[in-house]
């Protein structure tokens, strides 16, 4: 269970925060809100009800707090009480965060107010408490009773963070020249409070810069198995070994949030002109007030073929269905009675079945994420026994193979157990192994030789690299070495530490969601550099490898492929091959005059490729029309329907590229008329349904610039009318 959290943000909205300083393009308040918004949206993104926060406005025009009757607490306003923040709260807060017309307001009093709010809300319960103060340090500050403030912060274990634009930070390397004396005095006061509270004091520049570093989610592990690691059957043998262990995940896949859980509400969608019947959505939970979204519920219907039904199908209830299992392309039905017989009765256990030398195990056998096995907590005897087993595997350079059943009557898994010994802990690393049925063996030709049909082995071949090419490739690969070397030439730590590698997809999506939540109409900002730093090679590595790459290109004989000619196919001359050979002349091919029904598609393509005028293309389309109509007319049932749809698709694609969509549109219009009027061997409406499903209708203006068919006309054409 996640910890309860209560965070209070104190934002300085004084008049001086609305100014731009030191050449910055944004005001101090906008700069500060970048950090505040990042913290708020990160908390909102978790969706946790017990991750609550509050915002206090410092130096506001008015006063709105429970201690406002006292003069020290004037110009302080509680913009939001401690609560779970939602999207609507973010929108309301964005409207309130504006620079005020005064610089009156005491930051120390704001700290006292935040402490009072946390004490009232959290009481003596176990909460993570945090106060974040962002101010430019201008204005008057009351330095009385600082000892009481510090003691209260420490007593209630409140984490204190104080940030400010242009605050001096020698460790980070920032120092504001010609600092205002009052700001310097206030800055020193805030620094003293932070240090005495064991808090964080720093410059806003560093905080905003570190926002680009993705936050790694720390999760509380949950045991997926608690039982015994055993060798032998303890029910039959007294010498059997049983060690109480617990299993926890070592690695898990983190996935970015999806956008498939909510859609536009049907009433709003209708107002925007969309089809109200395009989706079936039913709100499962009440959306936020003012929200234009609703949750999605999937509505499933089950149909079976029925020739007597009007649509040849009837709907049935889920309870009337029988369970089946896929075997190849066949659904095999097994009744519940028979299925109960097939269930393997198992008991939860982790049983050792054998051992294997580490060098004989192939890493590609992994089938799952990694888990760890530790001794039962707290059980010193189990810890000692498991430690002995781990050290035995380590010293013998061996792995253990075990049979794992996580729960009673669960299917068993074969797992591999590898020892892991670190300075602060020991454990067994566990990963799932494949069964024999999971292994697929494929044979590929060797890469270093060519075996002819007669069995002769050829080592010098045009498809094999020669010695010069191999040598050039070796030197190029060596030049791309990412490891650094010291003065002695020994390899040292790589300049790309794994802890600086983050998932670009996961963190980019999360950053985009946070940005859009705050600024719904602004474009999404570019990704942080830390997410893209490993997506390209370092510049100095490219410079070192450039001469080796040139030699590799020369040795491989790499040549640039001529670009495809643009424009109409019938207007360009066929490209001359790189070899310079006239293939048609070598094969003594003549221009094709008639397309054979047995090889219609390749010959149709060849005819269009060599076509010099529109008459040749029109004749080829006419021949294909005759061939396709004959295939339909002589089709026994739906035997030729796949050939027909394939031929139509080829004709359509080729004529789009040939920029003659009218030839295809005339063809398919005539074909539809013949099919619906039953002129091609009877009722062929099923074929027209296949044409519609394959989207082989008219070529529209969107697909070809020279077409005159609109989207509406194309949709009407695909109907069965």
């Amino acid at each position: 269970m996640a910890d309860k959290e209560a965070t209070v943000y104190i934002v300085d909205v004084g008049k001086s925060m609305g100014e731009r300083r030191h050449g910055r393009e944004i005001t101090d308040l906008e700069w500060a809100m970048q950090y505040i918004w990042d913290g708020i949206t990160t908390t909102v993104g978790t969706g946790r009800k017990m991750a609550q926060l509050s915002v206090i406005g410092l130096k506001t025009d008015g006063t709105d707090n429970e201690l406002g009757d006292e003069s020290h607490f004037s110009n302080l306003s509680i913009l939001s009480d401690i609560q779970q923040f939602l999207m609507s709260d973010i929108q309301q807060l964005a409207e309130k965060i504006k620079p005020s017309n005064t610089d009156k307001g005491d930051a120390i009093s704001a700290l006292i107010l935040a402490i009072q709010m946390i004490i009232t809300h959290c009481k003596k319960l176990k909460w993570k408490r945090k106060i974040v103060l962002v101010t430019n340090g201008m204005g008057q500050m009351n330095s009385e009773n600082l000892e009481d403030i510090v003691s209260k912060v420490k007593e209630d274990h409140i984490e204190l963070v104080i940030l400010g634009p242009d605050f001096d930070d020698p460790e980070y390397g920032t120092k504001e020249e010609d600092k205002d004396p009052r700001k310097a005095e206030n800055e020193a006061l805030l620094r003293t409070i932070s240090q005495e509270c064991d808090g964080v004091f720093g410059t806003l520049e560093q905080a905003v810069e570190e926002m680009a570093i993705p936050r790694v989610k720390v999760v509380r592990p949950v045991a997926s198995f608690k039982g015994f690691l055993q060798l032998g059957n303890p029910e039959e043998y007294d010498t059997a070994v049983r060690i109480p262990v617990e299993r926890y995940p070592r690695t898990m896949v983190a996935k970015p949030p999806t956008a498939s859980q909510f859609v536009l509400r049907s009433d709003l969608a209708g107002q925007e002109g969309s089809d109200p019947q395009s989706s079936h959505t039913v709100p499962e939970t009440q959306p936020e007030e003012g929200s234009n979204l609703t949750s999605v519920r999937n509505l499933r219907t089950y149909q079976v073929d029925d020739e007597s039904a009007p649509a040849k199908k009837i709907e049935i209830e889920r309870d009337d269905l029988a369970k089946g299992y896929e075997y190849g392309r066949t659904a095999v039905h097994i009744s519940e009675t028979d299925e109960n017989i097939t269930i393997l009765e198992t008991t939860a256990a982790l049983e050792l079945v054998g051992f294997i030398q580490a060098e004989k195990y192939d890493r590609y056998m992994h089938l799952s994420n990694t888990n760890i096995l530790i001794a039962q907590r707290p059980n010193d005897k189990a810890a000692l026994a498991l430690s002995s087993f781990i050290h035995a595997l380590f010293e013998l350079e061996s792995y253990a193979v075990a049979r794992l059943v996580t729960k009673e009557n669960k299917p068993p898994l074969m797992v591999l157990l590898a020892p892991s010994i670190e300075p602060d802990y020991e454990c067994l690393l566990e990963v799932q192994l494949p069964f024999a049925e999971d292994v697929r063996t494929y044979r590929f030709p060797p890469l270093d030789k060519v075996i002819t049909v007669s069995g002769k082995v050829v080592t010098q071949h045009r498809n094999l690299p020669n010695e010069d090419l191999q040598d050039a490739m070796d030197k190029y690969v060596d030049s791309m070495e990412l490891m650094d070397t010291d003065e002695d030439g020994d390899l040292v730590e790589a300049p790309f530490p794994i802890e600086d590698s983050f998932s670009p997809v996961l963190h980019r999506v999360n950053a985009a969601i946070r940005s859009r939540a705050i600024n719904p109409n602004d474009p999404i900002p570019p990704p942080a550099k830390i997410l893209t730093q490993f997506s390209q090679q370092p510049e100095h590595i490219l410079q070192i490898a450039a001469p080796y790459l040139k030699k590799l290109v020369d040795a491989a004989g790499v040549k640039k492929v001529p670009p495809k000619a643009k424009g109409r196919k019938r207007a360009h001359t066929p490209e001359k091959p790189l070899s310079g050979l006239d293939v048609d002349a070598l094969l003594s091919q003549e221009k094709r005059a008639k397309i054979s029904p047995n090889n219609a598609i390749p010959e149709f393509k060849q005819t269009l490729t060599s076509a010099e005028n529109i008459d040749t293309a029109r004749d080829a389309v006419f021949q294909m029309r005759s061939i396709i109509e004959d295939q339909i007319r002589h089709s026994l049932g739906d035997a030729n329907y796949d050939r027909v749809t394939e031929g139509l698709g080829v004709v359509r694609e080729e004529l789009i590229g040939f920029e003659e969509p009218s030839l295809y549109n005339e063809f398919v219009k005539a074909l539809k008329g013949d099919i619906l009027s039953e002129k091609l061997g009877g009722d062929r409406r099923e074929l027209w349904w296949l044409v519609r499903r394959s989207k082989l209708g008219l070529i529209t203006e969107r697909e070809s610039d020279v077409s005159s068919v609109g989207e509406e006309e194309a949709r009407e054409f695909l109907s069965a009318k």
Side-chain angles (χ1 to χ4, degrees):
M1 181 179 177
D3 295 328
K4 301 177 182 179
E5 299 179 9
T7 304
V8 178
Y9 292 96
I10 304 174
V11 185
D12 189 340
V13 296
K15 182 179 180 181
S16 58
M17 288 289 287
E19 300 177 3
R20 295 178 174 86
R21 305 175 190 274
H22 303 290
R24 290 189 289 267
E25 297 181 355
I26 57 177
T27 65
D28 288 352
L29 180 58
E30 293 172 340
W31 199 21
M33 287 308 298
Q34 290 181 7
Y35 176 80
I36 299 296
W37 283 131
D38 183 74
I40 292 176
T41 53
T42 300
T43 303
V44 174
T46 63
R48 293 167 44 204
K49 292 184 177 180
M50 300 312 295
Q52 302 181 358
L53 52 90
S54 171
V55 180
I56 298 176
L58 170 62
K59 301 177 186 177
T60 56
D61 291 324
T63 302
D64 184 11
N65 64 82
E66 58 184 5
L67 304 176
D69 295 338
E70 302 181 23
S71 59
H72 293 304
F73 294 93
S74 60
N75 299 103
L76 298 178
S77 299
I78 298 178
L79 305 181
S80 174
D81 291 321
I82 299 180
Q83 61 180 357
Q84 181 193 10
F85 254 56
L86 302 174
M87 270 294 299
S88 57
D89 300 306
I90 293 178
Q91 296 168 356
Q92 294 175 8
L93 181 61
E95 297 176 356
K96 299 177 181 178
I97 300 293
K98 306 292 182 184
S100 66
N101 298 315
T102 181
D103 275 329
K104 294 181 180 180
D106 183 13
I108 307 301
S109 299
L111 279 176
I112 297 174
L113 179 61
I115 294 171
Q116 177 66 27
M117 291 178 64
I118 288 180
I119 294 174
T120 303
H121 184 79
C122 302
K123 300 181 175 61
K124 295 296 182 180
L125 302 177
K126 187 178 180 181
W127 285 71
K128 283 187 176 181
R129 308 156 196 234
K130 184 177 181 180
I131 297 176
V132 179
L133 169 61
V134 183
T135 177
N136 60 1
M138 306 296 287
Q140 193 72 27
M141 291 189 187
N142 184 9
S143 58
E144 298 177 359
N145 302 324
L146 292 184
E147 294 181 359
D148 295 338
I149 296 176
V150 172
S151 62
K152 198 61 180 175
V153 169
K154 287 184 175 182
E155 178 184 343
D156 290 318
H157 304 287
I158 299 175
E159 180 184 357
L160 180 61
V161 178
I162 301 177
L163 302 172
D166 305 314
F167 278 10
D168 294 342
D169 191 342
E171 295 181 2
Y172 184 68
T174 58
K175 181 176 177 58
E176 185 181 16
E177 302 295 339
D178 301 327
K179 189 187 292 289
D180 183 271
R182 173 170 289 182
K183 179 177 180 180
E185 181 182 349
N186 292 337
E187 189 176 324
L189 176 62
L190 294 174
R191 185 189 299 271
T192 301
I193 296 175
S194 176
Q195 291 175 348
E196 292 183 0
C197 294
D198 299 326
V200 177
F201 180 89
T203 179
L204 184 62
E205 181 180 356
Q206 181 181 4
V208 173
E209 181 181 329
E210 292 179 352
M211 282 166 42
I213 302 176
R215 297 173 178 85
V216 179
K217 183 179 181 181
V218 179
V219 297
R220 182 173 295 176
V222 178
S224 56
F225 170 75
K226 290 184 178 181
F228 292 94
L229 171 63
Q230 58 189 43
L231 177 61
N233 189 347
E235 297 180 358
E236 297 182 9
Y237 305 101
D238 297 335
T239 57
V241 178
R242 300 185 76 192
I243 305 175
V245 295
E246 298 178 2
R247 178 177 182 250
Y248 294 92
R250 177 69 172 264
T251 57
M252 296 291 289
V253 177
K255 298 180 180 179
T258 63
S260 59
Q261 297 180 358
F262 298 93
V263 294
L264 281 174
R265 287 165 46 190
S266 58
D267 52 347
L268 296 179
Q271 296 173 9
E272 296 180 4
S274 60
D275 185 1
Q277 298 181 356
S278 60
S279 63
H280 301 278
T281 58
V282 180
E284 293 181 337
T285 57
Q286 185 67 25
E288 298 178 35
E289 186 176 354
S291 173
N292 59 347
L293 299 178
T294 183
S295 56
V296 174
R297 177 189 298 171
N298 294 324
L299 302 179
R300 294 183 177 89
T301 58
Y302 301 90
Q303 297 179 336
V304 296
D305 296 334
D306 189 348
E307 296 296 333
S308 62
K312 302 296 181 65
K313 292 181 181 294
I314 59 172
E315 294 187 3
I316 60 174
E317 298 294 333
R318 178 182 174 84
D319 296 339
D320 297 333
L321 296 176
K323 184 180 292 187
Y325 295 89
E326 188 176 7
Y327 185 76
R329 294 188 176 181
T330 305
V332 179
H333 165 63
I334 298 180
S335 63
E336 293 185 6
T337 304
D338 295 336
E339 187 177 7
N340 292 333
I341 299 175
T342 63
I343 295 177
L344 180 64
E345 295 183 1
T346 58
T347 56
L350 179 60
E351 302 170 340
L352 295 174
V353 297
F355 301 90
I356 184 175
Q357 288 293 319
E359 60 183 13
K360 295 183 179 180
Y361 178 74
D362 297 320
R363 290 291 297 272
Y364 64 81
M365 303 291 283
H366 290 5
L367 284 186
S368 67
N369 295 326
T370 307
N371 299 288
I372 64 171
L373 287 171
I374 62 174
Q376 185 184 57
R377 300 180 299 177
N379 189 331
D380 295 338
K381 185 178 179 181
L384 180 61
L386 185 63
S387 177
S388 301
F389 183 69
I390 293 172
H391 280 268
L393 291 176
F394 180 79
E395 293 173 4
L396 296 176
E397 297 182 354
S398 300
Y399 297 153
V401 179
R403 177 181 183 270
L404 172 64
V405 179
T406 56
K407 292 183 180 180
E408 187 175 355
N409 292 331
K410 280 275 188 179
L413 303 174
M414 297 303 297
V415 297
L416 184 80
L417 304 178
S420 176
I421 301 177
E422 301 292 341
D424 52 347
Y425 74 96
E426 301 171 350
C427 68
L428 286 173
L429 301 179
E430 176 251 291
V431 68
Q432 183 181 347
L433 294 176
F435 289 100
E437 292 80 3
D438 299 323
V439 178
R440 299 291 184 269
T441 303
Y442 299 96
R443 299 184 62 184
F444 297 96
L447 300 176
D448 58 345
K449 57 187 175 182
V450 174
I451 303 177
T452 63
V453 178
S454 60
K456 182 180 178 181
V457 178
V458 180
T459 57
Q460 299 292 331
H461 192 270
R462 60 184 178 85
N463 292 336
L464 297 177
N466 54 34
E467 293 183 0
D468 293 339
L469 178 58
Q470 191 70 45
D471 182 65
M473 177 60 76
D474 290 342
K475 292 180 178 178
Y476 174 65
V477 172
D478 292 340
S479 69
M480 298 289 287
E481 177 61 61
L482 298 178
M483 294 286 288
D484 287 341
T485 56
D486 56 16
E487 297 177 355
D488 299 331
D490 298 330
L491 294 177
V492 296
E493 185 179 356
F496 305 106
I498 190 65
E499 57 268 16
D500 291 342
S501 176
F502 302 94
S503 170
V505 174
L506 173 65
H507 297 290
R508 173 63 175 149
V509 171
N510 286 331
I513 292 174
R514 293 198 300 267
S515 174
R516 184 49 54 88
I518 305 167
N519 305 305
N521 300 320
D522 293 348
I524 301 297
K529 291 183 179 180
I530 196 170
L531 296 180
T532 59
Q533 61 177 341
F534 296 152
S535 62
Q536 54 190 0
Q537 299 148 332
E539 186 63 30
H540 71 280
I541 295 290
L542 293 178
Q543 294 176 359
I544 295 174
Y548 297 98
L549 178 59
K550 186 178 184 305
K551 293 179 181 179
L552 176 62
V553 171
D554 295 337
V558 178
K559 297 179 182 178
K560 186 177 181 180
V561 177
K564 292 184 178 181
K566 297 181 180 180
R568 300 193 176 192
K569 287 186 178 180
R570 56 185 169 87
H572 86 280
T573 305
E575 299 172 3
K576 186 177 181 180
L578 294 175
S579 62
L581 300 177
D582 189 345
V583 180
D584 288 339
L586 290 175
L587 299 178
S588 300
Q589 291 184 348
E590 299 180 356
K591 294 187 182 299
R592 192 174 304 281
K594 187 175 181 180
I595 299 176
S596 171
N598 297 327
N599 195 30
I601 291 177
E603 294 182 6
F604 174 73
K605 292 182 177 180
Q606 293 173 4
T607 302
L608 286 189
T609 302
S610 59
E612 298 179 352
N613 52 56
I614 188 61
D615 294 334
T616 305
R618 184 178 288 109
D619 179 66
V621 174
F622 180 78
Q623 292 185 57
M624 283 296 293
R625 174 180 174 180
S626 300
I627 293 172
I628 290 175
E629 288 179 349
D630 286 340
Q631 291 173 347
I632 300 173
R633 188 176 292 108
H634 299 97
S635 175
L636 184 60
D638 60 355
N640 291 341
Y641 287 0
D642 289 340
R643 296 177 60 190
V644 170
T645 54
E646 182 184 9
L648 278 174
V650 171
V651 173
R652 192 178 193 273
E653 181 181 355
E654 291 296 316
L655 290 179
I656 290 176
F658 205 75
E659 296 192 2
E660 289 295 341
S662 59
L663 293 180
Y664 177 80
N665 291 341
E666 294 173 2
F667 169 25
V668 76
K669 286 180 180 178
L671 182 64
K672 176 185 178 181
D674 292 343
I675 291 176
L676 298 184
S677 60
E678 301 184 1
K679 294 182 180 180
L680 299 177
D683 187 0
R684 302 289 184 181
R685 292 180 179 270
E686 185 179 354
L687 173 61
W688 184 247
W689 180 81
L690 291 175
V691 172
R692 294 174 57 193
R693 189 184 67 176
S694 303
K695 298 180 180 179
L696 299 177
L698 299 176
I699 300 174
T700 63
E701 298 172 337
R702 183 173 56 84
E703 298 172 290
S704 177
D705 295 336
V706 296
S707 175
S708 59
V709 177
E711 295 290 339
E712 186 64 30
E713 181 182 352
R715 281 196 296 269
E716 293 180 358
F717 174 78
L718 284 177
S719 65
K721 299 179 181 179

